[in-house]
Coordinates of all heavy atoms in Angstrom, one line a residue:
M17 N 43.1 -12.8 -14.7 CA 44.4 -13.0 -14.2 C 44.6 -12.4 -12.8 O 45.2 -13.0 -12.0 CB 45.4 -12.6 -15.2 CG 45.4 -13.3 -16.5 SD 45.6 -15.1 -16.4 CE 47.3 -15.2 -15.8
T18 N 44.1 -11.2 -12.7 CA 44.2 -10.5 -11.4 C 43.5 -11.2 -10.3 O 44.0 -11.4 -9.2 CB 43.7 -9.0 -11.5 OG1 44.5 -8.4 -12.5 CG2 43.9 -8.3 -10.1
A19 N 42.3 -11.8 -10.5 CA 41.6 -12.5 -9.5 C 42.3 -13.7 -9.2 O 42.4 -14.1 -8.0 CB 40.2 -12.8 -10.0
L20 N 42.9 -14.4 -10.2 CA 43.6 -15.6 -9.9 C 44.9 -15.3 -9.0 O 45.2 -16.0 -8.0 CB 44.1 -16.3 -11.1 CG 43.0 -17.0 -11.9 CD1 43.6 -17.5 -13.3 CD2 42.4 -18.2 -11.2
R21 N 45.6 -14.2 -9.4 CA 46.8 -13.8 -8.6 C 46.4 -13.5 -7.2 O 47.1 -13.8 -6.3 CB 47.5 -12.7 -9.3 CG 48.8 -12.4 -8.8 CD 49.6 -11.4 -9.6 NE 48.8 -10.2 -10.0 CZ 48.4 -10.0 -11.2 NH1 48.8 -10.8 -12.2 NH2 47.7 -8.9 -11.5
N22 N 45.3 -12.7 -7.0 CA 44.9 -12.3 -5.7 C 44.4 -13.4 -4.8 O 44.4 -13.3 -3.6 CB 43.7 -11.2 -5.8 CG 44.3 -9.9 -6.3 OD1 45.4 -9.6 -6.3 ND2 43.3 -9.1 -6.8
S23 N 44.1 -14.5 -5.4 CA 43.6 -15.7 -4.6 C 44.7 -16.6 -4.1 O 44.5 -17.4 -3.3 CB 42.6 -16.5 -5.4 OG 43.3 -17.2 -6.5
L24 N 46.0 -16.3 -4.5 CA 47.1 -17.1 -4.2 C 47.6 -16.6 -2.7 O 47.5 -15.5 -2.3 CB 48.3 -16.9 -5.1 CG 48.1 -17.4 -6.5 CD1 49.2 -17.0 -7.4 CD2 47.9 -18.9 -6.5
S25 N 48.1 -17.6 -2.0 CA 48.7 -17.3 -0.6 C 50.0 -16.7 -0.8 O 50.6 -16.7 -1.9 CB 48.8 -18.6 0.2 OG 49.8 -19.4 -0.4
D26 N 50.5 -16.1 0.3 CA 51.9 -15.4 0.2 C 52.9 -16.5 -0.2 O 53.9 -16.1 -0.9 CB 52.2 -14.8 1.6 CG 51.3 -13.7 1.9 OD1 50.8 -13.1 1.0 OD2 51.2 -13.3 3.1
E27 N 52.8 -17.7 0.3 CA 53.8 -18.7 0.0 C 53.8 -19.1 -1.5 O 54.9 -19.3 -2.1 CB 53.6 -20.0 0.8 CG 53.9 -19.8 2.3 CD 52.7 -19.2 3.0 OE1 51.5 -19.3 2.5 OE2 52.9 -18.7 4.1
E28 N 52.6 -19.2 -2.1 CA 52.5 -19.5 -3.5 C 53.0 -18.4 -4.3 O 53.7 -18.6 -5.4 CB 51.0 -19.8 -3.8 CG 50.4 -21.1 -3.3 CD 48.9 -21.2 -3.4 OE1 48.2 -20.1 -3.3 OE2 48.5 -22.4 -3.7
L29 N 52.7 -17.1 -3.9 CA 53.3 -16.0 -4.6 C 54.8 -16.0 -4.6 O 55.5 -15.7 -5.7 CB 52.7 -14.7 -4.1 CG 51.3 -14.3 -4.5 CD1 50.9 -13.0 -3.8 CD2 51.3 -14.0 -6.0
A30 N 55.4 -16.3 -3.4 CA 56.8 -16.3 -3.3 C 57.4 -17.3 -4.2 O 58.5 -17.1 -4.8 CB 57.2 -16.5 -1.9
A31 N 56.8 -18.5 -4.2 CA 57.3 -19.7 -5.0 C 57.3 -19.2 -6.5 O 58.2 -19.6 -7.3 CB 56.5 -20.9 -4.8
Q32 N 56.2 -18.6 -7.0 CA 56.1 -18.2 -8.3 C 57.1 -17.1 -8.7 O 57.6 -17.1 -9.8 CB 54.6 -17.7 -8.7 CG 53.7 -18.9 -8.8 CD 52.4 -18.4 -9.3 OE1 52.1 -17.3 -9.6 NE2 51.4 -19.4 -9.4
A33 N 57.4 -16.3 -7.7 CA 58.3 -15.2 -8.0 C 59.7 -15.8 -8.2 O 60.5 -15.3 -9.0 CB 58.3 -14.2 -6.9
D34 N 60.0 -16.8 -7.4 CA 61.4 -17.4 -7.5 C 61.5 -18.3 -8.7 O 62.6 -18.3 -9.3 CB 61.6 -18.3 -6.3 CG 61.8 -17.5 -5.0 OD1 62.1 -16.3 -5.1 OD2 61.5 -18.1 -3.9
E35 N 60.4 -19.0 -9.1 CA 60.5 -19.9 -10.3 C 59.9 -19.3 -11.5 O 59.8 -20.0 -12.5 CB 59.7 -21.2 -9.9 CG 60.3 -21.9 -8.6 CD 59.4 -23.0 -8.1 OE1 58.3 -23.2 -8.7 OE2 59.6 -23.5 -7.1
G36 N 59.6 -18.1 -11.6 CA 58.9 -17.4 -12.7 C 59.9 -17.4 -13.9 O 61.1 -17.3 -13.8
E37 N 59.3 -17.5 -15.1 CA 60.1 -17.4 -16.3 C 59.4 -16.4 -17.2 O 58.6 -16.7 -18.1 CB 60.1 -18.8 -17.0 CG 60.9 -19.8 -16.2 CD 60.8 -21.2 -16.8 OE1 59.8 -21.5 -17.5 OE2 61.8 -21.9 -16.6
P38 N 59.7 -15.1 -17.1 CA 59.0 -14.1 -17.8 C 59.3 -14.2 -19.3 O 58.5 -13.7 -20.1 CB 59.6 -12.7 -17.3 CG 60.8 -13.1 -16.6 CD 60.6 -14.6 -16.1
E39 N 60.4 -14.9 -19.7 CA 60.6 -15.0 -21.2 C 59.6 -15.9 -21.8 O 59.6 -15.9 -23.1 CB 62.1 -15.5 -21.4 CG 62.4 -16.9 -20.9 CD 62.8 -16.9 -19.4 OE1 62.8 -15.9 -18.8 OE2 63.1 -18.0 -19.0
K40 N 58.8 -16.6 -21.1 CA 57.8 -17.5 -21.7 C 56.4 -16.8 -21.8 O 55.5 -17.4 -22.4 CB 57.7 -18.8 -21.0 CG 59.0 -19.7 -21.1 CD 58.8 -21.0 -20.5 CE 60.0 -21.8 -20.7 NZ 59.9 -23.1 -19.9
G41 N 56.3 -15.6 -21.3 CA 55.0 -15.0 -21.3 C 55.0 -13.9 -22.4 O 55.9 -13.8 -23.2
R42 N 53.8 -13.2 -22.5 CA 53.6 -12.2 -23.5 C 53.6 -10.9 -22.8 O 53.0 -10.7 -21.7 CB 52.3 -12.4 -24.2 CG 52.3 -13.7 -25.1 CD 51.0 -13.8 -25.8 NE 50.0 -13.9 -24.8 CZ 48.7 -14.3 -25.1 NH1 48.4 -14.4 -26.4 NH2 47.8 -14.3 -24.2
W43 N 54.3 -9.9 -23.4 CA 54.3 -8.5 -22.8 C 53.7 -7.6 -23.8 O 53.9 -7.7 -25.0 CB 55.8 -8.2 -22.6 CG 56.4 -8.8 -21.4 CD1 56.0 -9.8 -20.7 CD2 57.6 -8.4 -20.7 NE1 56.8 -10.1 -19.6 CE2 57.8 -9.2 -19.7 CE3 58.6 -7.4 -21.0 CZ2 59.0 -9.1 -18.8 CZ3 59.7 -7.3 -20.2 CH2 59.9 -8.2 -19.1
S44 N 53.1 -6.6 -23.2 CA 52.5 -5.5 -24.1 C 53.6 -4.5 -24.4 O 54.7 -4.6 -23.9 CB 51.4 -4.8 -23.3 OG 51.9 -4.1 -22.2
Q45 N 53.3 -3.6 -25.3 CA 54.2 -2.6 -25.6 C 54.6 -1.7 -24.4 O 55.8 -1.3 -24.3 CB 53.7 -1.6 -26.8 CG 53.7 -2.3 -28.1 CD 53.2 -1.4 -29.2 OE1 52.4 -0.5 -28.9 NE2 53.7 -1.6 -30.4
D46 N 53.6 -1.5 -23.6 CA 53.9 -0.7 -22.3 C 54.9 -1.5 -21.4 O 55.9 -0.9 -20.8 CB 52.6 -0.5 -21.5 CG 51.7 0.4 -22.2 OD1 52.1 1.2 -23.1 OD2 50.5 0.5 -21.8
Q47 N 54.7 -2.7 -21.3 CA 55.7 -3.5 -20.5 C 57.1 -3.6 -21.1 O 58.1 -3.5 -20.4 CB 55.1 -5.0 -20.3 CG 53.9 -5.0 -19.4 CD 53.2 -6.4 -19.4 OE1 53.2 -7.0 -20.5 NE2 52.8 -6.8 -18.3
Q48 N 57.2 -3.7 -22.4 CA 58.4 -3.6 -23.1 C 59.1 -2.3 -22.9 O 60.3 -2.2 -22.6 CB 58.3 -3.9 -24.6 CG 57.8 -5.3 -25.0 CD 59.0 -6.3 -24.9 OE1 60.1 -6.0 -24.5 NE2 58.7 -7.5 -25.3
L49 N 58.4 -1.2 -23.0 CA 58.9 0.1 -22.8 C 59.4 0.3 -21.3 O 60.5 0.9 -21.1 CB 57.9 1.2 -23.1 CG 58.3 2.6 -23.0 CD1 59.5 2.9 -23.9 CD2 57.2 3.6 -23.3
L50 N 58.6 -0.2 -20.4 CA 59.0 -0.1 -19.0 C 60.3 -0.9 -18.7 O 61.2 -0.4 -18.0 CB 57.9 -0.6 -18.1 CG 58.0 -0.4 -16.6 CD1 58.3 1.1 -16.2 CD2 56.9 -1.0 -15.9
A51 N 60.4 -2.1 -19.4 CA 61.6 -2.9 -19.2 C 62.8 -2.1 -19.8 O 63.9 -2.2 -19.2 CB 61.5 -4.2 -19.8
A52 N 62.6 -1.5 -20.9 CA 63.7 -0.8 -21.5 C 64.1 0.4 -20.6 O 65.4 0.7 -20.4 CB 63.3 -0.2 -22.9
C53 N 63.2 1.1 -20.0 CA 63.5 2.2 -19.1 C 64.3 1.7 -17.8 O 65.2 2.3 -17.4 CB 62.2 2.9 -18.7 SG 61.5 3.9 -20.0
H54 N 63.8 0.5 -17.4 CA 64.5 -0.1 -16.2 C 66.0 -0.4 -16.5 O 66.9 -0.1 -15.7 CB 63.7 -1.4 -15.9 CG 64.4 -2.2 -14.9 ND1 65.3 -3.2 -15.2 CD2 64.3 -2.2 -13.5 CE1 65.7 -3.8 -14.1 NE2 65.2 -3.2 -13.1
D55 N 66.2 -1.0 -17.7 CA 67.6 -1.3 -18.1 C 68.4 0.0 -18.3 O 69.6 0.0 -17.8 CB 67.6 -2.0 -19.4 CG 67.0 -3.4 -19.3 OD1 66.9 -3.9 -18.2 OD2 66.6 -4.0 -20.4
V56 N 67.9 1.0 -18.9 CA 68.6 2.3 -19.0 C 69.0 2.9 -17.7 O 70.1 3.3 -17.4 CB 67.8 3.3 -19.9 CG1 68.5 4.7 -19.8 CG2 67.7 2.8 -21.3
L57 N 68.0 2.9 -16.7 CA 68.3 3.4 -15.4 C 69.3 2.6 -14.7 O 70.2 3.2 -14.0 CB 67.0 3.5 -14.6 CG 66.0 4.6 -14.9 CD1 64.8 4.4 -14.1 CD2 66.7 5.9 -14.6
R58 N 69.3 1.3 -14.8 CA 70.4 0.5 -14.2 C 71.7 0.8 -14.8 O 72.8 0.8 -14.1 CB 70.0 -1.0 -14.3 CG 68.8 -1.3 -13.4 CD 68.6 -2.7 -13.1 NE 69.7 -3.2 -12.4 CZ 70.1 -4.5 -12.5 NH1 69.4 -5.3 -13.2 NH2 71.2 -4.9 -11.8
R59 N 71.8 1.0 -16.1 CA 73.1 1.3 -16.8 C 73.6 2.6 -16.3 O 74.8 2.8 -16.1 CB 72.9 1.2 -18.3 CG 73.0 -0.2 -18.9 CD 73.1 -0.2 -20.3 NE 72.2 0.6 -21.1 CZ 71.1 0.0 -21.7 NH1 70.9 -1.2 -21.7 NH2 70.2 0.9 -22.3
I60 N 72.7 3.6 -16.2 CA 73.1 5.0 -15.8 C 73.6 4.9 -14.3 O 74.6 5.5 -14.0 CB 71.9 5.9 -15.8 CG1 71.6 6.3 -17.3 CG2 72.2 7.2 -15.1 CD1 70.3 7.1 -17.5
E61 N 73.0 4.1 -13.5 CA 73.4 4.0 -12.1 C 74.8 3.3 -12.1 O 75.7 3.7 -11.3 CB 72.4 3.1 -11.3 CG 72.8 2.8 -9.9 CD 71.9 1.8 -9.2 OE1 71.4 0.9 -9.9 OE2 71.7 1.9 -8.0
H62 N 75.0 2.2 -12.9 CA 76.3 1.6 -13.0 C 77.4 2.6 -13.5 O 78.5 2.6 -12.8 CB 76.2 0.4 -14.0 CG 77.5 -0.3 -14.2 ND1 78.3 -0.1 -15.2 CD2 78.1 -1.3 -13.4 CE1 79.4 -0.9 -15.1 NE2 79.3 -1.6 -14.0
V63 N 77.1 3.4 -14.5 CA 78.1 4.4 -14.9 C 78.4 5.4 -13.8 O 79.6 5.7 -13.6 CB 77.6 5.1 -16.2 CG1 78.5 6.2 -16.6 CG2 77.6 4.1 -17.3
L64 N 77.4 5.8 -13.1 CA 77.6 6.8 -12.0 C 78.5 6.2 -10.9 O 79.4 6.9 -10.5 CB 76.3 7.2 -11.5 CG 76.3 8.3 -10.3 CD1 76.8 9.6 -10.9 CD2 74.9 8.4 -9.8
I65 N 78.3 5.0 -10.6 CA 79.1 4.3 -9.6 C 80.5 4.2 -10.1 O 81.5 4.4 -9.3 CB 78.5 3.0 -9.2 CG1 77.2 3.1 -8.4 CG2 79.5 2.1 -8.4 CD1 76.4 1.8 -8.3
C66 N 80.7 3.8 -11.3 CA 82.0 3.6 -11.9 C 82.8 4.9 -12.0 O 84.0 5.0 -11.7 CB 82.0 3.0 -13.3 SG 81.4 1.3 -13.2
V67 N 82.1 6.0 -12.3 CA 82.8 7.3 -12.4 C 83.3 7.8 -11.1 O 84.3 8.4 -11.0 CB 81.8 8.3 -13.0 CG1 82.3 9.8 -12.8 CG2 81.6 8.1 -14.5
N68 N 82.5 7.4 -10.0 CA 82.9 7.9 -8.6 C 83.7 6.8 -7.9 O 83.8 7.0 -6.7 CB 81.6 8.2 -7.9 CG 81.0 9.5 -8.5 OD1 81.6 10.5 -8.5 ND2 79.7 9.4 -8.9
T69 N 84.2 5.8 -8.5 CA 85.0 4.8 -7.9 C 86.4 5.0 -8.4 O 86.6 4.9 -9.6 CB 84.5 3.4 -8.1 OG1 83.1 3.3 -7.7 CG2 85.3 2.4 -7.4
E70 N 87.4 5.1 -7.5 CA 88.8 5.4 -8.0 C 89.4 4.2 -8.6 O 90.0 4.3 -9.7 CB 89.6 5.9 -6.8 CG 89.2 7.2 -6.3 CD 90.1 7.7 -5.2 OE1 91.3 7.2 -5.1 OE2 89.7 8.6 -4.5
K71 N 89.3 3.0 -8.1 CA 90.0 1.8 -8.6 C 89.0 1.1 -9.6 O 87.9 0.8 -9.2 CB 90.4 0.9 -7.5 CG 91.5 1.5 -6.7 CD 92.0 0.5 -5.7 CE 93.1 1.1 -4.8 NZ 93.6 0.1 -3.9
K72 N 89.5 0.8 -10.7 CA 88.7 0.1 -11.7 C 88.3 -1.3 -11.2 O 87.3 -1.9 -11.5 CB 89.4 0.0 -13.1 CG 88.6 -0.6 -14.1 CD 89.3 -0.5 -15.5 CE 88.4 -1.0 -16.6 NZ 89.0 -0.9 -17.9
A73 N 89.2 -1.9 -10.4 CA 89.0 -3.2 -9.8 C 87.8 -3.3 -8.9 O 87.2 -4.3 -8.6 CB 90.2 -3.7 -9.1
A74 N 87.4 -2.1 -8.3 CA 86.3 -2.0 -7.3 C 85.0 -1.8 -8.1 O 83.9 -1.7 -7.4 CB 86.6 -0.9 -6.3
W75 N 85.0 -1.7 -9.4 CA 83.7 -1.4 -10.1 C 82.8 -2.6 -10.0 O 83.3 -3.8 -10.0 CB 84.0 -1.2 -11.6 CG 84.6 0.1 -11.9 CD1 85.0 1.1 -11.1 CD2 85.0 0.6 -13.2 NE1 85.6 2.2 -11.7 CE2 85.5 1.9 -13.1 CE3 84.8 0.1 -14.5 CZ2 86.0 2.6 -14.2 CZ3 85.2 0.9 -15.5 CH2 85.8 2.1 -15.4
P76 N 81.5 -2.4 -9.8 CA 80.6 -3.5 -9.8 C 80.4 -4.1 -11.2 O 80.7 -3.5 -12.2 CB 79.3 -2.9 -9.3 CG 79.4 -1.4 -9.7 CD 80.9 -1.1 -9.6
A77 N 79.9 -5.3 -11.2 CA 79.6 -5.9 -12.5 C 78.5 -5.2 -13.3 O 77.7 -4.5 -12.6 CB 79.2 -7.4 -12.3
R78 N 78.6 -5.2 -14.6 CA 77.5 -4.6 -15.4 C 76.2 -5.2 -15.1 O 76.1 -6.4 -14.9 CB 77.8 -4.7 -16.8 CG 79.0 -3.9 -17.3 CD 79.2 -4.0 -18.8 NE 80.3 -3.1 -19.2 CZ 80.6 -2.9 -20.4 NH1 79.9 -3.3 -21.4 NH2 81.6 -2.1 -20.7
P79 N 75.1 -4.4 -15.0 CA 73.8 -4.9 -14.7 C 73.3 -5.8 -15.9 O 73.5 -5.5 -17.0 CB 72.9 -3.7 -14.4 CG 73.6 -2.6 -15.2 CD 75.1 -2.9 -15.1
E80 N 72.7 -6.9 -15.5 CA 72.0 -7.7 -16.5 C 70.7 -7.1 -17.0 O 70.0 -6.5 -16.2 CB 71.7 -9.1 -15.9 CG 72.9 -9.9 -15.7 CD 73.6 -10.4 -17.0 OE1 72.8 -10.7 -18.0 OE2 74.8 -10.5 -17.0
P81 N 70.4 -7.1 -18.3 CA 69.1 -6.6 -18.7 C 68.0 -7.4 -18.1 O 68.1 -8.6 -17.9 CB 69.2 -6.6 -20.2 CG 70.3 -7.4 -20.5 CD 71.2 -7.6 -19.4
M82 N 66.8 -6.8 -18.0 CA 65.6 -7.5 -17.6 C 65.3 -8.6 -18.6 O 65.4 -8.3 -19.8 CB 64.5 -6.5 -17.4 CG 63.2 -7.1 -16.9 SD 61.9 -5.9 -16.6 CE 62.4 -5.1 -15.1
R83 N 64.9 -9.7 -18.1 CA 64.6 -10.8 -19.0 C 63.2 -10.4 -19.7 O 62.3 -9.9 -19.1 CB 64.4 -12.1 -18.2 CG 65.7 -12.6 -17.7 CD 65.7 -13.8 -16.8 NE 64.5 -14.6 -16.8 CZ 64.2 -15.4 -15.8 NH1 65.0 -15.6 -14.8 NH2 63.0 -16.1 -15.8
R84 N 63.2 -10.7 -21.0 CA 62.1 -10.4 -21.8 C 61.5 -11.7 -22.5 O 62.2 -12.6 -22.6 CB 62.5 -9.4 -22.9 CG 62.8 -8.0 -22.3 CD 63.4 -7.1 -23.4 NE 63.5 -5.7 -22.9 CZ 64.4 -5.3 -22.0 NH1 65.2 -6.1 -21.4 NH2 64.5 -4.0 -21.8
P85 N 60.3 -11.6 -22.9 CA 59.7 -12.8 -23.6 C 60.5 -13.2 -24.8 O 61.0 -12.4 -25.6 CB 58.3 -12.3 -24.0 CG 58.0 -11.2 -23.0 CD 59.3 -10.5 -22.7
G86 N 60.8 -14.5 -24.9 CA 61.5 -15.0 -26.1 C 63.0 -14.9 -25.9 O 63.6 -15.4 -26.8
A87 N 63.5 -14.5 -24.8 CA 64.9 -14.4 -24.6 C 65.3 -15.1 -23.3 O 64.8 -14.8 -22.3 CB 65.4 -12.9 -24.5
A88 N 66.1 -16.2 -23.5 CA 66.5 -17.0 -22.3 C 67.6 -16.2 -21.5 O 68.3 -15.4 -22.1 CB 67.1 -18.3 -22.8
P89 N 67.6 -16.4 -20.2 CA 68.7 -15.7 -19.5 C 70.1 -16.1 -19.9 O 70.3 -17.2 -20.3 CB 68.4 -16.1 -18.0 CG 67.6 -17.3 -18.1 CD 66.8 -17.3 -19.4
K90 N 71.0 -15.2 -19.7 CA 72.4 -15.5 -20.1 C 73.0 -16.4 -19.1 O 72.7 -16.3 -17.9 CB 73.2 -14.1 -20.1 CG 72.9 -13.3 -21.3 CD 73.8 -12.1 -21.3 CE 73.4 -11.1 -22.5 NZ 74.3 -10.0 -22.5
K91 N 73.8 -17.3 -19.6 CA 74.5 -18.3 -18.7 C 75.8 -17.6 -18.2 O 76.5 -16.9 -19.0 CB 74.9 -19.5 -19.4 CG 73.6 -20.3 -19.8 CD 74.0 -21.6 -20.5 CE 72.7 -22.4 -20.9 NZ 73.0 -23.6 -21.6
A92 N 76.1 -17.7 -16.9 CA 77.3 -17.2 -16.3 C 78.5 -17.8 -16.8 O 78.5 -19.1 -17.0 CB 77.2 -17.3 -14.8
K93 N 79.5 -17.1 -17.1 CA 80.8 -17.6 -17.6 C 81.5 -18.2 -16.4 O 81.6 -17.6 -15.3 CB 81.7 -16.6 -18.3 CG 81.1 -16.1 -19.5 CD 82.0 -15.0 -20.2 CE 81.4 -14.5 -21.5 NZ 82.4 -13.5 -22.1
R94 N 82.1 -19.4 -16.7 CA 83.0 -20.0 -15.6 C 84.3 -19.3 -15.6 O 85.0 -19.2 -16.6 CB 83.1 -21.4 -15.9 CG 83.8 -22.2 -14.9 CD 83.9 -23.7 -15.2 NE 84.6 -24.4 -14.2 CZ 85.1 -25.6 -14.3 NH1 84.9 -26.3 -15.4 NH2 85.7 -26.1 -13.3
P95 N 84.7 -18.9 -14.4 CA 86.1 -18.2 -14.3 C 87.2 -19.1 -14.6 O 87.1 -20.3 -14.3 CB 86.1 -17.7 -12.8 CG 85.1 -18.5 -12.1 CD 84.1 -19.0 -13.1
T96 N 88.2 -18.6 -15.3 CA 89.4 -19.4 -15.6 C 90.5 -19.1 -14.7 O 90.6 -18.0 -14.1 CB 89.8 -19.1 -17.0 OG1 90.1 -17.7 -17.2 CG2 88.7 -19.5 -18.0
L97 N 91.3 -20.1 -14.4 CA 92.4 -20.0 -13.5 C 93.7 -19.8 -14.4 O 94.1 -20.6 -15.2 CB 92.6 -21.3 -12.7 CG 93.7 -21.3 -11.7 CD1 93.4 -20.3 -10.6 CD2 93.8 -22.7 -11.0
T98 N 94.3 -18.6 -14.2 CA 95.5 -18.3 -15.0 C 96.7 -19.0 -14.3 O 96.7 -19.4 -13.1 CB 95.7 -16.8 -15.0 OG1 95.9 -16.3 -13.7 CG2 94.6 -16.1 -15.7
E99 N 97.8 -19.0 -15.0 CA 99.0 -19.6 -14.5 C 99.5 -18.9 -13.3 O 99.9 -19.5 -12.2 CB 100.1 -19.6 -15.6 CG 101.4 -20.4 -15.1 CD 101.2 -21.8 -15.0 OE1 100.4 -22.4 -15.7 OE2 101.9 -22.4 -14.2
S100 N 99.6 -17.6 -13.2 CA 100.0 -16.9 -12.1 C 99.1 -17.0 -10.9 O 99.6 -17.2 -9.7 CB 100.2 -15.3 -12.4 OG 98.9 -14.8 -12.7
N101 N 97.7 -17.1 -11.1 CA 96.9 -17.3 -10.0 C 97.0 -18.8 -9.5 O 96.9 -19.0 -8.3 CB 95.4 -17.1 -10.4 CG 95.1 -15.7 -10.6 OD1 95.8 -14.8 -10.0 ND2 94.1 -15.3 -11.3
A102 N 97.3 -19.7 -10.4 CA 97.5 -21.1 -10.0 C 98.8 -21.2 -9.1 O 98.8 -21.9 -8.0 CB 97.6 -22.0 -11.2
V103 N 99.8 -20.6 -9.4 CA 101.1 -20.5 -8.6 C 100.7 -19.9 -7.3 O 101.2 -20.4 -6.2 CB 102.2 -19.8 -9.4 CG1 103.4 -19.6 -8.4 CG2 102.5 -20.6 -10.6
R104 N 100.1 -18.8 -7.2 CA 99.7 -18.1 -6.0 C 98.8 -19.0 -5.1 O 99.1 -19.1 -3.9 CB 99.0 -16.8 -6.3 CG 98.4 -16.1 -5.1 CD 99.5 -15.2 -4.5 NE 98.9 -14.4 -3.5 CZ 99.3 -14.3 -2.2 NH1 100.4 -15.0 -1.9 NH2 98.7 -13.6 -1.3
L105 N 97.8 -19.7 -5.7 CA 97.0 -20.6 -4.9 C 97.7 -21.7 -4.4 O 97.6 -22.1 -3.2 CB 95.8 -21.1 -5.9 CG 94.9 -22.0 -5.2 CD1 94.1 -21.4 -4.1 CD2 93.8 -22.5 -6.3
F106 N 98.6 -22.3 -5.2 CA 99.5 -23.4 -4.7 C 100.4 -23.0 -3.5 O 100.5 -23.7 -2.5 CB 100.4 -23.9 -5.8 CG 101.2 -25.1 -5.4 CD1 100.7 -26.3 -5.4 CD2 102.5 -24.9 -5.2 CE1 101.4 -27.5 -5.1 CE2 103.3 -26.0 -4.8 CZ 102.7 -27.3 -4.8
S107 N 100.9 -21.7 -3.6 CA 101.7 -21.2 -2.5 C 100.9 -21.0 -1.2 O 101.4 -21.3 -0.1 CB 102.3 -19.8 -3.0 OG 102.9 -19.2 -1.9
L108 N 99.7 -20.5 -1.4 CA 98.8 -20.3 -0.2 C 98.4 -21.6 0.4 O 98.4 -21.7 1.7 CB 97.6 -19.5 -0.6 CG 97.8 -18.1 -1.0 CD1 96.5 -17.4 -1.5 CD2 98.3 -17.3 0.3
I109 N 98.1 -22.6 -0.4 CA 97.7 -23.9 0.1 C 98.9 -24.6 0.9 O 98.7 -25.2 1.9 CB 97.2 -24.8 -1.0 CG1 95.9 -24.3 -1.5 CG2 97.1 -26.3 -0.5 CD1 95.4 -25.0 -2.8
N110 N 100.1 -24.4 0.4 CA 101.2 -25.0 1.1 C 101.9 -24.1 2.1 O 103.1 -24.2 2.3 CB 102.2 -25.5 0.0 CG 101.6 -26.6 -0.9 OD1 101.2 -27.5 -0.3 ND2 101.6 -26.4 -2.2
G111 N 101.2 -23.2 2.7 CA 101.7 -22.5 3.9 C 102.4 -21.2 3.4 O 103.1 -20.6 4.3
G112 N 102.2 -20.7 2.3 CA 102.8 -19.5 1.8 C 102.2 -18.2 2.4 O 102.7 -17.1 2.3
A113 N 101.0 -18.3 3.1 CA 100.4 -17.2 3.6 C 100.9 -16.8 5.0 O 100.7 -15.7 5.4 CB 98.9 -17.4 3.8
A114 N 101.6 -17.7 5.6 CA 102.1 -17.4 7.0 C 103.3 -16.5 7.0 O 103.9 -16.0 6.3 CB 102.5 -18.7 7.6

């Protein structure tokens, strides 16, 4: 596998990185452990940022866990438009920002 990977051009490697699906591969216990450590470090970083940010609205989104074999990526939720936001948007569209 290493020889095959080393024979790829930079463009082929970039294409595989963009289109890769790690959830369809097999991971060793070492790789699973490394992914778990990666997720924990990202959560710790997120908590550290949130603790040092005054406004809750400025908090970054929670980090997504690393994709693992057998688990499809989570689908993003579609944002909903509330009544108050709809009224505000209508006001802005009709010259309310001026």
Side-chain angles (χ1 to χ4, degrees):
M17 293 306 290
T18 302
L20 289 172
R21 188 174 47 249
N22 289 343
S23 68
L24 295 175
S25 68
D26 291 339
E27 293 82 21
E28 291 171 321
L29 279 174
Q32 286 189 2
D34 291 338
E35 300 167 5
E37 296 176 330
E39 65 271 5
K40 291 185 178 177
R42 293 182 298 189
W43 284 13
S44 68
Q45 287 182 330
D46 292 342
Q47 291 170 322
Q48 291 282 3
L49 181 61
L50 187 59
C53 291
H54 172 269
D55 292 342
V56 169
L57 284 173
R58 292 199 57 210
R59 282 194 302 260
I60 290 171
E61 178 186 33
H62 178 260
V63 169
L64 183 65
I65 291 170
C66 292
V67 166
N68 291 303
T69 302
E70 290 185 20
K71 293 185 178 181
K72 189 173 182 178
W75 287 2
R78 289 184 178 191
E80 289 289 325
M82 182 179 282
R83 291 177 11 200
R84 289 170 172 72
K90 291 184 179 179
K91 295 181 180 179
K93 292 182 180 178
R94 186 174 177 197
T96 57
L97 185 62
T98 63
E99 184 67 31
S100 61
N101 287 342
V103 171
R104 174 87 173 122
L105 180 60
F106 183 78
S107 170
L108 290 172
I109 291 173
N110 292 309

